[in-house]
C-alpha cells in the first residue's frame, strides 16, 4: 500500500494545504462526496469495533462461569491475537503512514496533554510490573497449564511498551493518508484496550468478591468466585503452595487497578486520535495556549494542605479498615471499621460538595470568555465524566432503596444512607465545576499593555494625587511623554487599572485552591475502593436485601466505572488547575 492517493482525502492534501496559505481566515472546504465517504469510513471502523467488542465481551463473561465450556485460555488466545495485530499496525503507522509526504498537515494542540501522557507512562510502568508478576506466577506450575497463559503476559508487556511509545509521539496527529486503514487500526486498538480492561475487571472484581464473601455465600456462588484465582482444568495439580508463588499471585492482583486505568487512559487517547483522522484545523480559530504549570506559585497553599491532610487521613483509614475487616472475626470491630470508613467519606464528600458549589459561584463572576471552538478532547472528557458517574449513581441508588426498605435500622444504616446521598451530590456538583472549568478560556496575558500598565502602576504608586494636580482643568489626558499611549486616561481609570487585576487574581487563586483540593481528594477516593476498601461487601444491609448473587453482580459491574471516574476527574481537575 503506497503513500499519496490511496485514500479518499489524500489527493486533496496539497490543495487543502494551499488553501490555508491563500485563505488564512477561512476554514478549508471539502467536497460533499468526500464528506459522505468520511462518515462512511468512520461507520465501517465503528462496526468493526462493535463486533470485536461484543465477541470479546462474550468470551470474557462466559469464561467467568464454571458451567460454561469456555476457558480462560480461550480468552487469553483472543486477546493475544488482537494485541499482536495492533502491534503490527502500530509499527506500520510509525514507519509507513506517518512518514508519507503530507501525511500529517496539522496537529491538535488539545489532544494528548503532557499530564495525560505522563499518567499513561506511570500506569504503563505498573502494568509492566504486573506482567512480570503474572509471568512468574504462571511459570511456577507451567507443567499443568496451557502455554497461552505464559505467552499472554509476555505479549501484553510488549503491547504496553509499543502502544505507550505510539501514544506519546503520535497522540496529536491529524493523519491525511491511509485514512480508512488508520481508522480501522485505531478502532482495533481501542477495542483491544477495552477487551483487556474487561478481562482485568472480571478477574480483579471476582477475586475481591471471593476474598470478601467466601464465608457468606452458597457453594454454587463460591465455586463461581473460585474460578478467578485458578481456572485450570486440574486445579489439584496446579495449587500455588510455594511462598514465591503466593507473592507473585498477590502482587499482580494488587497491581490490577493500575492496568485497568492504563487501558482506559489509552482508550481515551486513541479515540481522540480516531476523531482527528482526516481533520483540518484552522489555526486562526484554534488557539494554542502555552500554559505553564506552576504548582507552588500564585497559591495560598490552603488547597494543597487540606488535600494532603485528606490524603494522609484516608490512607490511615484504609489501613485500619483492611486490618480490622480482614483480620478480625469480631462483629464489633467490623462495625467500628465500617463506621470509621463512612464518617471519613461523609466528611470528605460533604467538604468536596461545598467546595464545588463555591467554585461554581466564583465562575459566575469570572470575566473570561467561554471557549466554544471544536475540541474533541474536551468533548470526550465531558462524556467520560458524565458516563462514568452513572456507575456510582447506580450503586448509591441501589443502596438507598435497600436501606429505606429494610426494617432494622441502626447507626451503620444511617451512615450508609448519608454516604450514598452525599456521593450523588458530590458527583453532580463536581461535574458541574469541572465542565465549567474546561469550557473557560485560559487567562490571557496582553503583552501590548504591559509597558503601559507598568508606567501607570509606577506613576500611581509615587503619588496618584500628583497626577490629578497635573491634569488641566478642562482636559483628561496626560502628557504624551509621561504615558506612551494615545488613549485618554483619567485618575479614576488608574485606580481601576490597579484594582481590577487584583480581583481577577483573587478569583483565579481561589479556583486553583479548589482544584488542587479536589484533585488530592479524588486521589484518595480512587485509592480506597481500588485497593480493597469496599463496604458494599461488608455491609449486610444491601447483601441481605438483594441476595448473595444480585448485589455482588451490581457492584462488580458498576464499581469499575466509579473507580475510573475518580482517576479521570483527577486528570480533568489538573487541566482546570493549569487553566485557572
Amino acid at each position: 500500500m503506497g503513500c499519496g492517493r490511496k485514500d479518499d482525502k489524500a489527493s486533496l492534501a496539497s490543495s487543502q494545504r494551499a488553501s490555508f496559505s491563500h485563505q488564512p481566515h477561512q476554514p478549508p472546504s471539502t467536497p460533499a462526496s468526500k464528506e459522505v465517504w468520511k462518515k462512511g469510513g468512520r461507520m465501517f471502523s465503528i462496526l468493526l469495533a462493535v463486533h470485536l467488542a461484543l465477541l470479546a465481551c462474550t468470551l470474557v463473561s462466559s469464561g467467568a462461569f464454571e458451567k460454561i465450556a469456555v476457558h480462560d485460555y480461550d480468552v487469553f488466545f483472543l486477546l493475544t491475537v488482537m494485541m499482536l495485530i495492533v502491534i503490527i499496525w502500530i509499527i506500520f503507522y510509525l514507519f509507513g503512514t506517518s512518514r508519507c509526504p503530507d501525511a500529517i498537515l496539522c496537529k491538535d494542540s488539545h489532544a494528548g496533554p503532557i499530564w495525560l501522557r505522563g499518567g499513561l507512562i506511570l500506569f504503563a510502568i505498573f502494568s509492566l510490573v504486573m506482567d512480570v508478576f503474572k509471568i512468574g506466577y504462571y511459570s511456577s506450575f507451567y507443567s499443568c497449564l496451557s502455554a497461552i497463559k505464559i505467552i499472554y503476559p509476555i505479549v501484553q508487556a510488549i503491547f504496553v511498551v509499543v502502544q505507550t511509545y505510539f501514544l506519546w509521539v503520535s497522540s496529536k496527529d491529524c493523519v491525511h493518508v491511509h485514512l480508512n486503514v488508520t481508522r480501522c487500526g485505531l478502532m482495533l486498538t481501542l477495542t483491544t484496550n477495552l477487551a483487556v480492561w474487561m478481562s482485568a475487571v472480571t478477574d480483579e472484581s471476582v477475586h475481591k468478591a471471593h476474598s470478601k464473601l467466601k464465608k457468606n455465600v452458597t457453594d454454587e456462588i463460591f465455586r463461581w468466585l473460585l474460578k478467578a484465582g485458578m481456572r485450570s482444568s486440574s486445579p489439584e495439580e496446579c495449587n500455588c503452595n510455594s511462598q514465591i508463588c503466593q507473592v507473585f499471585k498477590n502482587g499482580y492482583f494488587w497491581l490490577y487497578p493500575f492496568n485497568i486505568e492504563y487501558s482506559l487512559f489509552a482508550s481515551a487517547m486513541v479515540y481522540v486520535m480516531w476523531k482527528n483522522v482526516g481533520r483540518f484545523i484552522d489555526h486562526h480559530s484554534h488557539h494554542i495556549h502555552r500554559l505553564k504549570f506552576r504548582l507552588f506559585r500564585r497559591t495560598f497553599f490552603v488547597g494543597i494542605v487540606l488535600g494532603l491532610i485528606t490524603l494522609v487521613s484516608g490512607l490511615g483509614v484504609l489501613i485500619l479498615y483492611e486490618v480490622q475487616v480482614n483480620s478480625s472475626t469480631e462483629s464489633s470491630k467490623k462495625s467500628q471499621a465500617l463506621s470509621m470508613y463512612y464518617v471519613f467519606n461523609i466528611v470528605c464528600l460533604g467538604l468536596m460538595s461545598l467546595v464545588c458549589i463555591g467554585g461554581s459561584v466564583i465562575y459566575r463572576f469570572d470575566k473570561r470568555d467561554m471557549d466554544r471552538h471544536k475540541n474533541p478532547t474536551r468533548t470526550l472528557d465531558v462524556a467520560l465524566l458524565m458516563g462514568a458517574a452513572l456507575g456510582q449513581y447506580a450503586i448509591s441508588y441501589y443502596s438507598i432503596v435497600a436501606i429505606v426498605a429494610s426494617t432494622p435500622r441502626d447507626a451503620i444504616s444511617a451512615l450508609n444512607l448519608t454516604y450514598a446521598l452525599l456521593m450523588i451530590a458530590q458527583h453532580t456538583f463536581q461535574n458541574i465545576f469541572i465542565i465549567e472549568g474546561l469550557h473557560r478560556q485560559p487567562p490571557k496575558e496582553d503583552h501590548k499593555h504591559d509597558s503601559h500598565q507598568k508606567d501607570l502602576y509606577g506613576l500611581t504608586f509615587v503619588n496618584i494625587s500628583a497626577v490629578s494636580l497635573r491634569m488641566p482643568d478642562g482636559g483628561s489626558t496626560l502628557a504624551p511623554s509621561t504615558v506612551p499611549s494615545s488613549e485618554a486616561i483619567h485618575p479614576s481609570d488608574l485606580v481601576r487599572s490597579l484594582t481590577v487585576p487584583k480581583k481577577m487574581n483573587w478569583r483565579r487563586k481561589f479556583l486553583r485552591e479548589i482544584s488542587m483540593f479536589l484533585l488530592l481528594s479524588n486521589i484518595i477516593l480512587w485509592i480506597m475502593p481500588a485497593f480493597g476498601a469496599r463496604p458494599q461487601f461488608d455491609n449486610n444491609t444491601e447483601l441481605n436485601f438483594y441476595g448473595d448473587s444480585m448485589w455482588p453482580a451490581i457492584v462488580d459491574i458498576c464499581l469499575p466505572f466509579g473507580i475510573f471516574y475518580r482517576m479521570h476527574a483527577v486528570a480533568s481537575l489538573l487541566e482546570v488547575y493549569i487553566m485557572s
Side-chain angles (χ1 to χ4, degrees), residues 350-452:
L351 189 57
M352 291 173 69
S353 300
L354 293 176
V355 166
C356 290
I357 294 173
S360 299
V361 172
I362 293 175
Y363 275 129
R364 300 276 73 80
F365 299 97
D366 197 351
K367 303 301 180 183
R368 288 180 293 168
D369 295 332
M370 300 291 289
D371 187 1
R372 304 185 187 278
H373 296 105
K374 183 179 179 181
N375 189 342
T377 304
R378 183 178 59 210
T379 303
L380 178 63
D381 287 339
V382 174
L384 290 177
L385 283 172
M386 302 296 292
L390 296 178
Q392 192 59 57
Y393 284 156
I395 294 178
S396 298
Y397 281 117
Y398 273 109
S399 297
I400 291 172
V401 171
I403 295 168
V404 172
S406 300
T407 50
R409 298 172 184 173
D410 51 3
I412 298 294
S413 298
L415 291 174
N416 192 7
L417 178 62
T418 307
Y419 167 74
L421 293 173
L422 282 176
M423 187 68 74
I424 296 173
Q426 191 273 328
H427 277 70
T428 303
F429 294 136
Q430 182 171 265
N431 282 346
I432 294 173
F433 174 76
I434 293 176
I435 293 172
E436 287 249 24
L438 292 176
H439 283 82
R440 295 286 175 173
Q441 291 277 9
K444 298 179 180 179
E445 297 181 1
D446 196 350
H447 298 287
K448 292 191 301 180
H449 300 290
D450 280 352
S451 60
H452 174 70

Side-chain angles (χ1 to χ4, degrees), residues 79-316:
L79 296 179
T80 301
V81 172
M82 293 175 69
M83 287 188 291
L84 287 174
I85 296 175
V86 171
I87 291 172
I88 294 172
W89 173 79
I90 290 176
I91 294 173
F92 168 76
Y93 178 89
L94 293 175
F95 294 99
T97 301
S98 62
R99 297 189 179 185
C100 289
D102 296 328
I104 303 171
L105 298 177
C106 51
K107 289 180 177 287
D108 185 1
S109 60
H110 298 290
I114 186 63
W115 54 87
L116 187 60
R117 288 182 289 165
L120 185 74
I121 289 180
L122 177 64
F123 291 132
I125 293 172
F126 284 105
S127 297
L128 291 176
V129 176
M130 184 201 72
D131 289 327
V132 172
F133 277 35
K134 268 190 174 182
I135 295 171
Y137 170 62
Y138 288 126
S139 299
S140 300
F141 35 83
Y142 65 91
S143 58
C144 63
L145 290 177
S146 174
I148 192 65
K149 288 193 174 182
I150 302 177
I151 296 174
Y152 171 73
I154 297 175
V155 175
Q156 187 179 23
I158 299 173
F159 171 75
V160 168
V161 172
V162 173
Q163 180 178 244
T164 304
Y165 174 77
F166 164 69
L167 293 176
W168 179 267
V169 301
S170 306
S171 59
K172 298 178 181 292
D173 292 354
C174 297
V175 184
H176 291 275
V177 298
H178 301 160
L179 298 186
N180 297 325
V181 174
T182 303
R183 288 190 184 108
C184 292
L186 289 171
M187 270 298 167
L188 177 61
T189 307
L190 188 149
T191 307
T192 302
N193 280 286
L194 292 180
V196 172
W197 171 75
M198 284 187 287
S199 177
V201 165
T202 301
D203 283 348
E204 193 263 350
S205 297
V206 174
H207 174 75
K208 293 292 183 183
H210 165 232
S211 61
K212 295 288 185 182
L213 298 175
K214 60 183 179 180
K215 296 182 180 180
N216 301 322
V217 298
T218 61
D219 293 338
E220 182 180 356
I221 301 298
F222 180 79
R223 287 196 301 270
W224 173 69
L225 293 172
L226 188 63
K227 292 176 68 60
M230 179 59 59
R231 301 177 188 168
S232 62
S233 57
S234 54
E236 296 83 4
E237 301 175 4
C238 292
N239 288 329
C240 183
N241 297 321
S242 63
Q243 186 175 2
I244 187 65
C245 179
Q246 289 292 334
V247 170
F248 284 139
K249 180 181 178 181
N250 295 329
Y252 87 77
F253 271 118
W254 275 97
L255 292 172
Y256 257 137
F258 296 102
N259 181 249
I260 291 171
E261 297 301 331
Y262 172 82
S263 299
L264 293 175
F265 268 52
S267 299
M269 296 178 69
V270 169
Y271 173 79
V272 174
M273 286 189 66
W274 178 80
K275 289 286 290 184
N276 284 331
V277 172
R279 180 186 176 196
F280 289 96
I281 297 176
D282 184 4
H283 294 284
H284 296 274
S285 62
H286 191 80
H287 302 287
I288 298 177
H289 304 287
R290 301 188 181 277
L291 303 175
K292 296 181 179 180
F293 181 61
R294 299 183 178 97
L295 183 61
F296 298 110
R297 293 183 62 183
R298 299 179 182 177
T299 180
F300 298 119
F301 297 98
V302 178
I304 296 176
V305 171
L306 287 179
L308 289 176
I309 292 174
T310 304
L311 182 62
V312 174
S313 302
L315 291 175

Side-chain angles (χ1 to χ4, degrees), residues 326-344:
N326 295 332
S327 301
S328 177
T329 56
E330 299 180 10
S331 59
S332 60
K333 289 189 176 181
K334 182 178 178 180
S335 300
Q336 183 181 0
L338 283 170
S339 300
M340 177 183 59
Y341 178 89
Y342 283 132
V343 168
F344 170 79

Side-chain angles (χ1 to χ4, degrees), residues 505-522:
N505 198 17
W506 275 81
R507 283 197 289 269
R508 291 170 186 169
K509 283 184 178 180
F510 276 120
L511 290 174
R512 290 168 74 89
E513 300 293 343
I514 291 171
S515 301
M516 183 53 63
F517 169 72
L518 292 175
L519 188 152
L520 294 172
S521 299
N522 276 279

